[in-house]
Amino acid sequence: MLRLDHVEKHFGALHVLQDINLTIGRGEVVVVIGPSGSGKSTLCRTINRLETIDSGAITLDGQPLPQEGKALARLRAEVGMVFQSFNLFAHKTVLENVTLGPVKVRKRSKADAEAKARQLLDRVGVAHQAEKYPAQLSGGQQQRVAIARALAMEPKVMLFDEPTSALDPEMIKEVLDVMVDLAQGGMTMVVVTHEMGFARTAADRVVFMADGQIVEEATPEEFFTNPRSDRAKEFLGKIIRH
């Protein structure tokens, strides 16, 4: 479904992605973890070209990522993205936030888009908030609306860039529950997160990054019980001790 071959990315002198090779199958849930500054979010953002790459190739469903224009807009319709900071339109209601993409980009009728939006809002547990504005919701509710908004485009892949890191602890679970439900439903997902519990329970594969490189990939069971690299052992040691 998604393939990165020899991807390189610099920010000035900083080499943020170094020879990244990663293949993600249809329906697979890949969780990317690692210390801050390891390149995780940049990796996530290259998949829908929010960040350009210096060299290498990224293909989605066998097609190379377009550079710009309408082809890039079409690609972004196929790749749902959920950010750390929700990124909802503050001046639109929850329902309007979720229907905007399907109407404008997918050319759905308003009635069709609204019916689908209400179904998705129900699925993520915020159907009763449809007429409210984002500022009237908790952070956890806003993030669940953001997930519904991404799903409304019927994407082939969902990208999550630290979707719970701006949330209070009691809100984290409600968002992770929605993500686990999605994972169990067969959605192809790439999740950058610090939530090790989610990585253990929902991931098919854990990708551990450090210093712009993929240091190791393994099943959650293998990674958490028997990491191969010293860098991963050090990372897990610090997390598990606290």
Side-chain angles (χ1 to χ4, degrees):
M1 172 58 85
L2 186 62
R3 187 179 165 122
L4 290 82
D5 290 303
H6 304 293
V7 169
E8 299 275 345
K9 171 74 179 172
H10 291 78
F11 288 126
L14 198 62
H15 198 172
V16 285
L17 295 178
Q18 302 179 36
D19 196 30
I20 299 292
N21 294 286
L22 184 61
T23 304
I24 295 161
R26 191 179 304 273
E28 192 176 16
V29 178
V30 172
V31 173
V32 184
I33 62 174
S36 293
S38 58
K40 306 182 301 290
S41 288
T42 305
L43 172 73
C44 196
R45 292 166 69 87
T46 62
I47 294 171
N48 68 351
R49 285 195 67 85
L50 283 174
E51 296 288 356
T52 54
I53 59 176
D54 299 334
S55 61
I58 303 177
T59 55
L60 174 68
D61 226 2
Q63 300 296 313
L65 259 54
Q67 299 296 319
E68 56 196 11
K70 285 192 172 161
L72 180 55
R74 277 197 296 275
L75 163 90
R76 291 208 174 122
E78 303 294 349
V79 180
M81 180 113 188
V82 177
F83 300 89
Q84 186 174 337
S85 53
F86 325 137
N87 289 13
L88 298 172
F89 295 112
H91 62 290
K92 293 191 178 296
T93 65
V94 163
L95 188 64
E96 287 167 344
N97 264 281
V98 180
T99 56
L100 189 67
V103 170
K104 294 264 189 238
V105 181
R106 296 279 194 212
K107 307 300 181 202
R108 298 270 154 77
S109 73
K110 192 163 180 251
D112 183 31
E114 284 193 0
K116 175 82 177 168
R118 288 185 189 278
Q119 194 183 341
L120 287 168
L121 290 169
D122 185 48
R123 182 175 174 186
V124 299
V126 288
H128 57 300
Q129 311 285 7
E131 311 308 328
K132 289 188 179 173
Y133 288 88
Q136 296 172 283
L137 307 186
S138 71
Q141 289 170 331
Q142 288 187 61
Q143 193 60 297
R144 285 183 283 156
V145 172
I147 293 172
R149 181 178 63 175
L151 289 174
M153 296 296 286
E154 296 175 0
K156 291 177 177 172
V157 179
M158 284 280 281
L159 308 176
F160 293 86
D161 186 10
E162 301 200 10
T164 58
S165 58
L167 299 177
D168 293 336
E170 72 265 26
M171 292 176 194
I172 290 174
K173 183 181 182 308
E174 64 191 44
V175 172
L176 291 178
D177 284 348
V178 170
M179 292 168 62
V180 168
D181 176 58
L182 272 186
Q184 289 169 345
M187 173 61 78
T188 308
M189 293 164 64
V190 179
V191 184
V192 173
T193 187
H194 294 290
E195 297 297 329
M196 297 303 137
F198 176 81
R200 278 176 183 266
T201 56
D204 295 306
R205 187 157 37 118
V206 172
V207 171
F208 174 71
M209 288 185 73
D211 307 314
Q213 296 172 308
I214 292 178
V215 178
E216 63 181 281
E217 296 178 54
T219 64
E221 178 65 22
E222 287 172 284
F223 181 76
F224 287 107
T225 56
N226 192 21
R228 295 188 301 275
S229 64
D230 290 343
R231 192 69 186 81
K233 285 174 189 163
E234 180 196 351
F235 175 77
L236 288 170
K238 281 179 180 166
I239 294 177
I240 288 159
R241 273 205 302 276
H242 294 293

